Amino acid sequence: MIKQTEKQEESSKLVQTEEMDVSFYISGVEILNNVGCGICVCSSQEKVLFANERFSAFLNGEMDGKTVKKLLSQALEGGEEDSSGELYIEEDDRWFDVHRKKIRWMDQSAAELYTVYDITKTKQYQQRIEKQANNDFLTGLYNRMRCEKDLEEQISLIREKGGEGALLYMDLDDFKHINGGLGHQYGDVLLQGISRSLKRISGIQSSCYRMGGDEFIIIVTDTRVSMLNRILGDICGIFEKPWFLKGADYYCTMSMGIVRFPTDGDTVQELIKKADLALFEAKATGKNRYVFYTAEEEGSAFKRLDLEKNMRNAIVNACNEFEVYYQPIVDVSKPDHPCMGAEALIRWNCESLGFISPTEFIPLAEYLGLINPIGDHVLLQSCRRCKHWNDSGHPEYKVNVNLSVVQLLRNDMAERVKNVLQRTGLNPGNLTLEVTESLAINDMTRMKRILGQIKELGVWVALDDFGTGYSSLNHIREMPIDVIKIDRCFIEDLGNDEFSDAFVRIVCELASVIGMKVCVEGMEHERQYEILKKMQIHMIQGFYFDKPMKVEDFEKKYL
């Protein structure tokens, strides 16, 4: 009886122990299912011995031991030792931190314990931070910091392995006209469109950078430099067509400076500096082109710095170094072809550098944003001088003053003209403001508004350089202008070129129909004069009658 009781007690203890083991196991599984990572144990025979729910969810229920080990091993280094690493599953776009440790299973057999953490949110946050640090927010292109880093890497690579690369420094021509005329939001749209087009060019998809504003850099690596000519052609092709902005087509061109490395330099700073010098040369020689860096640009850089320094000093000193010359305009519609006024032309007689050509300093003044004070100075001096002519027995004399595109973008331009007329007392009808055709056609709506405000003052408006832009003859009817100035390039070949003859004749006939006057500039020879006499020309200026001259010489001869 006692033995039977002892056996029952032992049996009861065994059951209790087994129940406790099961309960402990269940509790352990529940704990492991609720930890913040995936846990998996695989045998040496590639069999999954245990996996918690989180691990199963990570792998979408895939529990084949061979597949699991093969997948996790992609993130691990080494075969036998404990290791860790990161795993990216592309189809799910998820990142995992994987750790492996050698252990003994419950039966003392060799096994591997894997702990897996989902770090997708952390990686995505890191990528966002990295993108913010390396990418331009507006265009999505890489930024200046990333450009300098990548360029340094390319220089080092070529230094070690040989080869050649190229750096292209691009700047949009007159981009401020788009921003000022249409608004910054449309300027942003244009920048985004150009950026997308650049990224579609084969060979530079991942090496385009926005340096800020409307400046871009493109790195052509050593493996792509053989494609340079084709790449340049593709880039130029982007700007051959208009951009559709605010319901209309607008043309935007670019200028570019190009350096080769290591031929032209082997440091980031040196290459960017020399590319910028070549870019400025492209701007100064007419824009809408690219220029390769040469050693000559190095010398011109110092000259440019001298020009800039002296120009700023001259402006600070009330523009006293800038002189206004006057080229007479004759009225050939009247007997004896009397002088009817003059065009005011800016000249710079620099105290330290001497006489500077307008073709040299005006592009620099526009590039530096200094043309406004210079233009204001010319307008004021010209109106004062014309008032003097009118008061000295020539009330019919007019003065023509060129307005730069930068001046015309100022919202208060009409008000500025009005103030000058009030200060000088000049009759508004004796002032003619000349605007370039290319700007007027490129932003017709804005120009019609600004020029309309100017004409309301009683001031005349002339369309300068007609025939050299993207225009059609129909545009002259849309604009509030009084005078069409035919560019000298059509006058040079009069009598020798049928197209030039026909163009001048058609413009004269059309102007007569719509009530406008025609002024021809650049006439130098008797042959040209004889041909123009037969057309409906009102005004002519050119060396045939007289060259631009100082005010003293003009007044001595024509007053």
Side-chain angles (χ1 to χ4, degrees), residues 344-390:
L345 300 166
I346 184 70
R347 298 292 185 264
W348 183 18
N349 189 5
C350 179
E351 183 178 343
S352 58
L353 300 177
F355 191 84
I356 310 297
S357 167
T359 58
E360 190 172 0
F361 76 81
I362 289 180
L364 180 60
E366 290 184 331
Y367 184 77
L368 297 172
L370 301 176
I371 197 66
N372 280 333
I374 297 174
D376 291 344
H377 171 75
V378 173
L379 179 61
L380 180 61
Q381 296 302 318
S382 302
C383 288
R384 280 178 176 166
R385 189 50 53 183
C386 188
K387 173 62 173 171
H388 173 67
W389 301 337
N390 298 156

Side-chain angles (χ1 to χ4, degrees), residues 532-548:
L532 290 173
K533 279 198 306 184
K534 302 174 184 179
M535 302 181 186
Q536 294 172 309
I537 301 292
H538 296 85
M539 295 168 279
I540 294 178
Q541 69 181 96
F543 283 10
Y544 180 79
F545 290 106
D546 236 326
K547 63 182 179 179

Side-chain angles (χ1 to χ4, degrees), residues 428-440:
N430 286 347
L431 172 62
T432 300
L433 296 178
E434 298 187 9
V435 300
T436 59
E437 179 198 13
S438 57
L439 173 67

